Amino acid sequence: NAGVTQTPKFRVLKTGQSMTLLCAQDMNHEYMYWYRQDPGMGLRLIHYSVGEGTTAKGEVPDGYNVSRLKKQNFLLGLESAAPSQTSVYFCASSTVPVYEQYFGPGTRLTVT
Amino acid sequence: SQQGEEDPQALSIQEGENATMNCSYKTSINNLQWYRQNSGRGLVHLILIRSNEREKHSGRLRVTLDTSKKSSSLLITASRAADTASYFCATEHIQGGSEKLVFGKGMKLTVNP
């Protein structure tokens, strides 16, 4: 099992550009999450999904969109990147919402 | 903020010593979890303790939970250099009608060989 994988691992964007981060899990988990991690801020939940075809807003959803067309994939889109979105992005999945979450290796995004 | 707060924010010890990290939170919880993050990697789940449990063990890890004080501690015994990492507590909360896991800001443990 690969667990949770994320692509790409690194990306540099210019302000105003758009991109999509892909998360894939092979554990048949219903729940998937996107977090961002910034120094001194811990992990903050951006969006999450409770199953295929569903998405919901987390703590910091502005400037991001998500889609869960297939159970195993959860996409995070940046419509018009801003320097404030420079961060490390983590995807996670779980069987139920408040039990053990499995994390991907992260995507380091820099917006200049 | 509902998130837990780890204390201390940083801890440096010698290999073989014990390391104790604390987490305090503000609202009632159903469970509390501890995660580890090695530099440049994703978080890895260590242990979950439910609100009706007071202590739990997993290998060299011992977690305690005091719901009356709204606090938890993570003890790593006989530490190793490989234990060098950031450690996060995460607490379950009801937000917007659904359950969420809220992570603390983390604390950095350095184990010197």
Side-chain angles (χ1 to χ4, degrees):
Chain A
N1 280 356
V4 179
T5 58
Q6 293 181 232
T7 53
K9 287 186 170 50
F10 303 94
R11 186 74 184 267
V12 178
L13 286 180
K14 293 189 187 314
T15 297
Q17 288 184 319
S18 62
M19 77 163 294
T20 300
L21 283 68
L22 171 64
C23 175
Q25 54 96 2
D26 61 2
M27 296 172 284
N28 203 35
H29 286 169
E30 289 292 336
Y31 296 84
M32 296 187 74
Y33 316 85
W34 276 107
Y35 293 93
R36 58 178 291 173
Q37 184 176 35
D38 303 292
M41 299 292 290
L43 270 78
R44 292 182 292 170
L45 182 64
I46 305 171
H47 285 281
Y48 64 99
S49 168
V50 302
E52 181 178 317
T54 74
T55 62
K57 293 180 180 180
E59 182 186 353
V60 288
D62 294 341
Y64 305 94
N65 57 69
V66 287
S67 64
R68 183 109 180 260
L69 299 179
K70 293 183 179 180
K71 186 177 184 179
Q72 64 267 35
N73 295 338
F74 195 28
L75 278 63
L76 178 71
L78 282 71
E79 300 153 342
S80 178
S84 60
Q85 294 178 304
T86 292
S87 188
V88 181
Y89 291 86
F90 288 99
C91 176
S93 70
S94 66
T95 53
V96 292
V98 290
Y99 286 179
E100 177 180 358
Q101 291 190 10
Y102 293 80
F103 281 79
T107 295
R108 185 173 295 274
L109 175 66
T110 302
V111 183
T112 61
Chain B
S1 170
Q2 293 175 316
Q3 68 185 172
E5 285 192 22
E6 296 88 354
D7 171 64
Q9 291 190 331
L11 180 64
S12 182
I13 61 175
Q14 294 300 122
E15 208 165 23
E17 293 180 339
N18 295 342
T20 300
M21 291 158 270
N22 302 299
C23 173
S24 60
Y25 56 92
K26 295 181 179 176
T27 60
S28 296
I29 59 171
N30 289 329
N31 71 64
L32 184 145
Q33 303 180 36
W34 285 92
Y35 286 78
R36 183 189 74 231
Q37 183 181 33
N38 291 93
S39 181
R41 311 289 289 273
L43 278 71
V44 174
H45 181 264
L46 294 176
I47 198 163
L48 179 153
I49 186 165
R50 300 182 197 284
S51 60
N52 61 354
E53 298 175 309
R54 291 296 168 259
E55 187 171 312
K56 205 163 181 179
H57 296 255
S58 176
R60 293 184 295 112
L61 305 180
R62 172 178 167 250
V63 170
T64 61
L65 180 64
D66 187 334
T67 53
S68 66
K69 294 182 179 178
K70 292 187 170 60
S71 68
S72 173
S73 67
L74 171 67
L75 169 67
I76 303 175
T77 59
S79 64
R80 305 166 181 168
D83 294 327
T84 294
S86 292
Y87 291 82
F88 295 81
C89 68
T91 51
E92 173 210 346
H93 297 280
I94 306 293
Q95 288 179 354
S98 59
E99 294 171 303
K100 305 273 193 322
L101 203 57
V102 180
F103 289 83
K105 296 180 180 180
M107 66 86 63
K108 184 167 176 55
L109 173 66
T110 302
V111 181
N112 301 299

